[in-house]
Amino acid sequence: RVHEKMKEFQLAAVCMAKALELDPSNQEVQKRLKTLQALAKPAGPPKDNWNLEEILENLRESGFSGAEKNADEALQQDLDPRAWAKGLSPKEQRTWLVDCYRMRADDDYVWGGCNMHGLYHMSGKQPIVEDFLVFCKLAVERQVIPAEWDWKKFLATAKDLLPYAFEKEDAKDKY
């Protein structure tokens, strides 16, 4: 339900499909899955909510003193879904992304009404692996993976880190 509240209908549908695997005869889950799948499909071409000219104009009006070209480049970098990786070594990138997943799982448990997935599912390694792979697929779909990504090394990093919870305090200490 957390994903639905955040309008992440595709992810909510994936979660609901997992629930249906546990109880295929559950009609309420079947209905809900159909609804979520319909909501997850875009009604048309995606709309560009970012009007760079308007943003640049607002920057100019608020006294931004940088050159327009530099402002445009800065805005483009801010809009780049891979920008999180800039300045990090490949090893740091791999660790950071695994930590993002672990933090999400912890947040969903703590703040998401005990939404237990991944490590918090408590039924062996398979749910952790499946949940993590959904996260990875969504990262690829949303183009957040850097161009020079080494999946083999990333999965080795994940294998070492995924068995352990990663809470907000851990992130504060680490980063």
Side-chain angles (χ1 to χ4, degrees):
R1 295 188 188 255
V2 170
H3 299 300
E4 290 177 60
K5 288 179 184 175
M6 296 179 68
K7 302 213 182 304
E8 296 174 340
F9 298 117
Q10 188 172 12
L11 190 53
V14 169
C15 293
M16 197 57 58
K18 290 290 178 195
L20 195 56
E21 287 176 14
L22 297 173
D23 184 6
S25 64
N26 188 324
Q27 291 182 355
E28 181 184 338
V29 173
Q30 291 172 2
K31 287 181 199 175
R32 197 166 167 140
L33 177 58
K34 284 182 184 179
T35 302
L36 289 170
Q37 287 171 332
L39 290 170
K41 293 179 183 175
K47 295 180 181 175
D48 182 8
N49 293 333
W50 294 94
N51 181 336
L52 290 179
E53 290 302 318
E54 184 179 316
I55 293 170
L56 284 170
E57 184 59 34
N58 287 337
L59 284 172
R60 280 188 223 102
E61 288 174 6
S62 65
F64 180 76
S65 60
E68 184 172 319
K69 184 177 183 213
N70 291 340
D72 190 39
E73 287 173 7
L75 284 171
Q76 287 296 344
Q77 182 168 337
D78 286 346
L79 299 176
D80 178 7
R82 295 178 178 100
W84 66 270
K86 291 183 179 25
L88 298 176
S89 70
K91 182 179 180 181
E92 291 170 326
Q93 291 173 2
R94 294 188 297 269
T95 300
W96 177 270
L97 195 58
V98 174
D99 286 347
C100 287
Y101 165 79
R102 296 190 306 153
M103 179 67 82
R104 175 64 186 261
D106 185 72
D107 282 350
D108 285 350
Y109 172 70
V110 173
W111 303 106
C114 292
N115 178 10
M116 296 190 290
H117 62 93
L119 175 65
Y120 296 90
H121 194 271
M122 304 292 186
S123 64
K125 290 182 182 178
Q126 192 65 25
I128 297 171
V129 172
E130 289 174 2
D131 192 59
F132 182 67
L133 291 177
V134 168
F135 173 84
C136 292
K137 286 179 180 182
L138 290 169
V140 169
E141 182 181 296
R142 287 169 172 76
Q143 302 177 354
V144 300
I145 303 298
E148 301 297 321
W149 193 250
D150 186 330
W151 283 101
K152 187 175 181 178
K153 288 182 180 179
F154 175 65
L155 293 175
T157 300
K159 181 181 175 187
D160 292 339
L161 296 175
L162 286 179
Y164 306 101
F166 192 70
E167 301 170 350
K168 185 177 182 177
E169 290 304 314
D170 298 323
K172 286 180 179 179
D173 291 343
K174 189 172 186 176
Y175 297 107

